[in-house]
Amino acid sequence: MAVVAALAATQHAGAVEIVSGDWTVDVGGIINAYATSVSCSGDTVGGPALGGRGLGCSGESSKTSIGNGLLPSGLITKFKTSQDGLDIGGTIGIMVHAATDSGIAANSAVDVRQAFFTIGTAEAGTLKIGRDYGVFGANAILSDMTLVGAGAPVQATQRGRVTLGHIGAGYTYLGTYGQMTYTSPVLGGGFTFTGALVSPVDSGLYASQAGPQYQAQLAWAGNGFKAWIGAKIQHFADAGAGTGGFSETAGEIGVSYANGPFGFLANYQEGKGIGILTDGDQGPVKGRNYLIQGTYKVTDKLKFGVNYGESRNKDGNATNVALNASFKSNSNVTAGLYYGLTKSITLAGEVGDTRSKDYLGNTAKMFGGSLGGIIFF
């Protein structure tokens, strides 16, 4: 599932459409920036502590940035054609970031998150080949209201990349992978199945080997409701550190509603090796993530929302001390206002509180806010 492309499609078609023979090429994109300000307090918590001074405030007690929100800025090119009875399409997404720690150095880092093509028919379904976002976790991040805002304004990631929304504090990042993914046509009753062979990834003391990562999802949609269940599996081998290997096995279940002024989202993930930020980043530790959200459209242009998420290691202190300095959990609550200035521009203001805990009883706190906007063209 192409997260940026899918979101852009719901906002506005490509700014330029070129038709030549049987080919149609759409060129569009997304630009956003948010002024974020955070302050950090409380105890020192190790590991991926988003509320701590090291990550949350980039090593300071307070910090300010003007950079990307949860989405990067990018140029997105999509194409489609029909040949020999097959529907053919594809996407290339070239992403960039706004904020750095320098006013002199070149901001030349390019993130090609999407470069894939698709072939299929309405009756048989679609095969996607190339690099794209993962299947597992896609519905959670697509339905997160902070996707067009900042969410947790983690300074260590916003400078040189993006903020985190609820990544690491509500869901594990869906990831970008080389993949071969099949999506069925809509089956009886509104069901759709997606299955993916994904290029396996390394993580710290663990390495991928012969087998791919597997991801799958069964989804249902109707009358404004969506519901889904998903899974992903990968074997991690010892990378020479004497830690032994393990298998990442994770599951997901969620539901969303968007029809009329009210919106709702609930998503739950759990598994061994699921990681806090990404696959296996906590080793073979069992973890769980959940996100709940409610939104209300005050007017046709103004929406208010509140969401809360938590990512937590479920294993005890002994395992975690060896792996990640006894890290236990991240949580974040965000309240936001989103105003559709035009059909292409959304202005957003958010405030939020992020907390990180360890098994020793320590709590790190980050309070922050963001103000800015995003344009889809």
Side-chain angles (χ1 to χ4, degrees):
M1 183 177 293
V3 173
V4 175
L7 181 65
T10 66
Q11 301 287 328
H12 197 334
V16 177
E17 182 178 273
I18 303 169
V19 179
S20 178
D22 296 332
W23 291 90
T24 300
V25 178
D26 289 322
V27 180
I30 174 177
I31 300 172
N32 73 92
Y34 296 86
T36 62
S37 182
V38 296
S39 62
C40 294
S41 61
D43 306 313
T44 299
V45 176
L50 304 184
R53 180 177 294 191
L55 293 180
C57 290
S58 197
E60 307 292 338
S61 59
S62 60
K63 200 81 169 181
T64 296
S65 295
I66 300 177
N68 289 108
L70 177 52
L71 287 173
S73 296
L75 184 66
I76 302 170
T77 301
K78 296 183 287 185
F79 62 86
K80 62 182 179 179
T81 188
S82 294
Q83 296 179 1
D84 299 327
L86 295 173
D87 297 323
I88 300 171
T91 297
I92 298 177
I94 302 173
M95 314 301 174
V96 297
H97 60 266
T100 67
D101 288 320
S102 172
I104 299 175
N107 183 23
S108 56
V110 174
D111 185 0
V112 183
R113 299 188 179 190
Q114 298 170 291
F116 64 86
F117 72 94
T118 61
I119 53 176
T121 66
E123 297 76 21
T126 301
L127 176 65
K128 174 171 62 181
I129 300 174
R131 179 175 175 83
D132 197 12
Y133 293 91
V135 176
F136 187 94
N139 284 309
I141 196 169
L142 270 175
S143 302
D144 185 350
M145 68 186 193
T146 70
L147 187 62
V148 294
V154 178
Q155 297 294 290
T157 61
Q158 189 185 29
R159 290 168 175 258
R161 199 165 173 84
V162 295
T163 62
L164 291 185
H166 279 278
I167 298 169
Y171 44 76
T172 304
Y173 184 50
L174 75 168
T176 49
Y177 311 88
Q179 60 188 273
M180 295 183 178
T181 301
Y182 169 75
T183 300
S184 74
V186 178
L187 306 173
F191 288 92
T192 304
F193 171 77
T194 302
L197 297 179
V198 172
S199 182
V201 296
D202 300 335
S203 181
L205 303 177
Y206 304 93
S208 60
Q209 287 192 323
Q213 183 177 125
Y214 303 94
Q215 298 190 15
Q217 177 183 269
L218 180 65
W220 173 86
N223 299 319
F225 285 95
K226 286 186 65 177
W228 56 89
I229 56 174
K232 65 177 175 180
I233 300 171
Q234 181 189 318
H235 180 71
F236 287 88
D238 185 350
T243 55
F246 72 95
S247 291
E248 175 189 18
T249 54
E252 175 181 50
I253 185 169
V255 62
S256 67
Y257 175 77
N259 193 6
F262 291 100
F264 175 76
L265 166 68
N267 194 74
Y268 182 84
Q269 301 171 336
E270 181 172 329
K272 180 179 180 181
I274 189 173
I276 295 295
L277 298 175
T278 188
D279 297 297
D281 67 7
Q282 304 292 281
V285 174
K286 295 179 181 178
R288 72 178 186 196
N289 307 309
Y290 68 88
L291 177 67
I292 54 174
Q293 172 179 287
T295 60
Y296 178 73
K297 290 184 178 179
V298 182
T299 68
D300 288 341
K301 287 182 171 287
L302 181 64
K303 181 174 72 175
F304 170 74
V306 177
N307 60 16
Y308 176 84
E310 181 185 70
S311 295
R312 173 187 292 265
N313 285 337
K314 293 182 66 178
D315 286 353
N317 186 44
T319 301
N320 288 316
V321 165
L323 292 171
N324 47 46
S326 191
F327 172 81
K328 183 179 181 180
S329 67
N330 291 318
S331 64
N332 171 269
V333 58
T334 296
L337 284 172
Y338 308 91
Y339 182 76
L341 183 66
T342 71
K343 64 181 180 180
S344 300
I345 298 174
T346 299
L347 305 179
E350 299 172 340
V351 293
D353 182 78
T354 304
R355 303 200 175 198
S356 300
K357 298 181 180 181
D358 65 20
Y359 282 92
L360 305 176
N362 297 311
T363 300
K365 305 173 184 178
M366 178 186 73
F367 181 79
S370 63
L371 185 65
I374 186 168
I375 181 171
F376 296 89
F377 63 93

